[in-house]
Amino acid sequence: MTVRTRFAPSPTGYLHIGGVRTALFAWLYARHHGGDFILRIEDTDRDRSSKESVQAILDGIAWLGLNVDEGPIFQSKRFDRYDQVMGQLLAEQKAYHCYCSREELDRVREEQRQQGLKPRYNRRCRDAVASKRSEESSVIRFRNPLEGSVFFEDQVRGTVTISNDELDDLIIARADGTPTYNFTNVVDDIDMRITHVIRGDDHVNNTPRQINIFEALGTAPPSYAHVPMIVGIDGQRLSKRHGAVSVLQYRDDGFLPEALRNYLVRLGWSHGDQEIFSLDEMIQKFDISNVNRSSSAFDSDKLRWLNQHYIKNADTTRLTLMVGQRLHGHGVELQDGPPLPAVLDSLRERVHTVEELAEKSHYFFRDFDAYEESAAKKHLRPVAASMLEDLLGRLRLITDWRADVIHDAINDTAKIHGAKLGKIAQPLRVAVSGTAATPPIDETVALVGRVKTLERIERALRYISERASASA
């Protein structure tokens, strides 16, 4: 048997973290077993589905590197097939037309509540004589078994058993003829020969209903694995304040796809104490039976830590292209600055995202408008002026502009003034970068370049002088 899994999102919004993790688990399970991964777009809700959401799903899956073997397959193009199967169920009396109005249904449910009963459809039309009302005003309901139980072995939750008397005769076609989720889901899984369904545990209640439809159509259901939901670090339902944004927002914010993949695979799944997984390792070691039964908390700090790890180890050519594109978008021109790969190598261990890497590169290529206020207040003071003036003179004499030569000039200046290295390094750092945090100062100055460095020290000295005059 060839393992066939699927990811079946509805294009009614962005592709969120929970959906991406489900897709990743389904993809890994298929790849681990040498099977197929199918992408199905469940777009029967015409009012809420949009082309933009479809494109966001396709872009997100592609960005994460989850290559698809079949699809995307759109439910909206399969209505003829749904009508055919619907007709089969009606002809075999496994489904029936229901003409009850909304008002009638509401009245029945209210009576049931008053009697302390679980509100449900009372099956009034199940065995009724054909109504004279037009079928255009009817929905179609599945004739759920009245006795027995549905049970299945969930690969995550274990044995699940639901009594049929707990299940309603669910609507499988609305009054306008549009098929509903539970029905289309079953027809698609049959036609696409899906062997394993991996999805969020919010679908557990749908599974027994779907299994009954499978059996009514004479087909064995697939194997199910319901993955616990992702929650925020506070244990509450995941929301935007926890980082539940579009997967493409993570791309735009400067996260690498391999970092997000690695983070998501560890959200509820583990292989010993291992934290860092290559894609090949994920495929080799992933087993759905090792998914935890409890919910997993989304931790933005851990994701940033992982992203930092992957940035540190990223291919320089690839990183250069990514940052170069971002700098171009920021309006930063690179032709008058140092080699971008050298800048990235100096900065990559100090950042958590590619966007942060691009932003921290700015001062190497263009002058900054203002100093970081707290840094200037602390380090660009009159006490530093004499050391900066002395260092400026020494730097002007350097013709071989290398980090080791620059280091000697900075170190000699500190010694002559009887100061620790930081007393000159920090004012110099603010002078050449505008901030108090840079790579090693000799390396930073070497990359900024001789002309820019001298100009920026002169500017810092003017700044110190003007501030002193203003406060006098």
Side-chain angles (χ1 to χ4, degrees), residues 5-9 15-29 37 61 66 197-203 225-230 264 267 286 288:
T5 67
R6 45 79 163 176
F7 178 51
L15 179 59
H16 55 79
I17 284 296
V20 170
R21 186 187 64 165
T22 298
L24 176 61
F25 282 6
W27 185 87
L28 287 173
Y29 191 84
F37 175 68
I61 293 296
L66 307 184
V197 172
I198 299 171
R199 59 188 179 187
D201 63 4
D202 53 329
H203 287 287
H226 291 92
V227 180
M229 303 298 286
I230 302 172
L264 290 177
L267 265 184
F286 184 80
I288 199 68

Side-chain angles (χ1 to χ4, degrees), residues 208-359:
R209 295 177 170 87
Q210 293 174 4
I211 288 175
N212 279 338
I213 298 175
F214 272 106
E215 292 180 352
L217 292 172
T219 303
S223 176
Y224 289 95
H226 291 92
V227 180
M229 303 298 286
I230 302 172
V231 297
I233 199 70
D234 56 3
Q236 301 299 308
R237 183 180 179 87
L238 198 63
S239 64
K240 288 185 178 180
R241 65 189 175 91
H242 299 113
V245 296
S246 165
V247 63
L248 295 179
Q249 186 63 53
Y250 286 100
R251 178 198 64 184
D252 296 343
D253 287 346
F255 287 86
L256 297 177
E258 56 267 39
L260 189 57
R261 274 197 315 257
N262 195 151
Y263 180 71
L264 290 177
V265 80
R266 288 286 287 111
L267 265 184
W269 174 82
S270 60
H271 183 81
D273 296 326
Q274 186 172 345
E275 289 287 348
I276 308 297
F277 292 86
S278 69
L279 190 56
D280 286 342
E281 286 178 315
M282 290 183 201
I283 293 172
Q284 177 187 354
K285 298 177 179 179
F286 184 80
D287 189 336
I288 199 68
S289 63
N290 290 335
V291 172
N292 298 331
R293 294 189 181 188
S294 57
S295 298
S296 300
F298 186 85
D299 186 344
S300 297
D301 289 339
K302 186 170 183 180
L303 173 57
R304 287 170 59 82
W305 172 80
L306 265 175
N307 202 53
Q308 184 179 46
H309 165 81
Y310 280 101
I311 288 174
K312 286 179 182 179
N313 295 280
D315 175 74
T316 299
T317 300
R318 175 194 176 202
L319 203 59
T320 299
L321 178 61
M322 296 173 70
V323 174
Q325 291 173 336
R326 286 176 182 264
L327 288 173
H328 180 74
H330 297 171
V332 176
E333 300 298 332
L334 304 180
Q335 60 266 28
D336 295 328
L340 182 55
V343 172
L344 301 185
D345 284 343
S346 72
L347 288 170
R348 66 164 74 199
E349 294 195 7
R350 300 168 179 270
V351 300
H352 292 89
T353 69
V354 177
E355 179 64 17
E356 185 184 357
L357 184 54
E359 290 174 352

Side-chain angles (χ1 to χ4, degrees), residues 76-262:
S76 59
K77 297 181 179 180
R78 288 174 47 79
F79 277 27
D80 288 346
R81 173 60 175 157
Y82 303 139
D83 288 345
Q84 177 188 4
V85 179
M86 195 79 67
Q88 174 187 337
L89 290 176
L90 287 169
E92 296 174 355
Q93 296 187 349
K94 295 175 180 177
Y96 61 94
H97 290 280
C98 173
Y99 302 93
C100 296
S101 67
R102 182 178 297 276
E103 291 74 21
E104 289 174 307
L105 295 173
D106 288 343
R107 185 174 63 254
V108 169
R109 292 191 182 101
E110 182 56 33
E111 291 173 354
Q112 291 170 334
R113 289 190 188 96
Q114 292 177 3
Q115 297 172 32
L117 301 174
K118 180 180 178 180
R120 66 173 66 197
Y121 177 56
N122 62 2
R123 297 188 168 102
R124 174 183 174 186
C125 297
R126 180 176 174 119
D127 296 311
V129 177
S131 172
K132 294 181 180 179
R133 285 186 276 188
S134 167
E135 290 188 3
E136 292 180 2
S137 64
S138 71
V139 299
I140 298 176
R141 290 182 181 272
F142 174 68
R143 195 183 294 270
N144 197 77
L146 299 179
E147 299 177 345
S149 298
V150 181
F151 71 92
F152 61 96
E153 287 295 326
D154 191 290
Q155 292 192 62
V156 175
R157 301 166 65 91
T159 303
V160 178
T161 303
I162 302 292
S163 175
N164 275 318
D165 62 17
E166 292 290 319
L167 304 178
D168 213 342
D169 282 3
L170 76 158
I171 295 173
I172 57 177
R174 303 178 183 89
D176 65 358
T178 306
T180 60
Y181 165 77
N182 281 300
F183 175 71
T184 58
N185 204 270
V186 171
V187 175
D188 289 345
D189 284 347
I190 291 173
D191 289 353
M192 297 169 195
R193 308 186 310 285
I194 300 303
T195 62
H196 295 78
V197 172
I198 299 171
R199 59 188 179 187
D201 63 4
D202 53 329
H203 287 287
V204 167
N205 290 336
N206 291 321
T207 302
R209 295 177 170 87
Q210 293 174 4
I211 288 175
N212 279 338
I213 298 175
F214 272 106
E215 292 180 352
L217 292 172
T219 303
S223 176
Y224 289 95
H226 291 92
V227 180
M229 303 298 286
I230 302 172
V231 297
I233 199 70
D234 56 3
Q236 301 299 308
R237 183 180 179 87
L238 198 63
S239 64
K240 288 185 178 180
R241 65 189 175 91
H242 299 113
V245 296
S246 165
V247 63
L248 295 179
Q249 186 63 53
Y250 286 100
R251 178 198 64 184
D252 296 343
D253 287 346
F255 287 86
L256 297 177
E258 56 267 39
L260 189 57
R261 274 197 315 257
N262 195 151

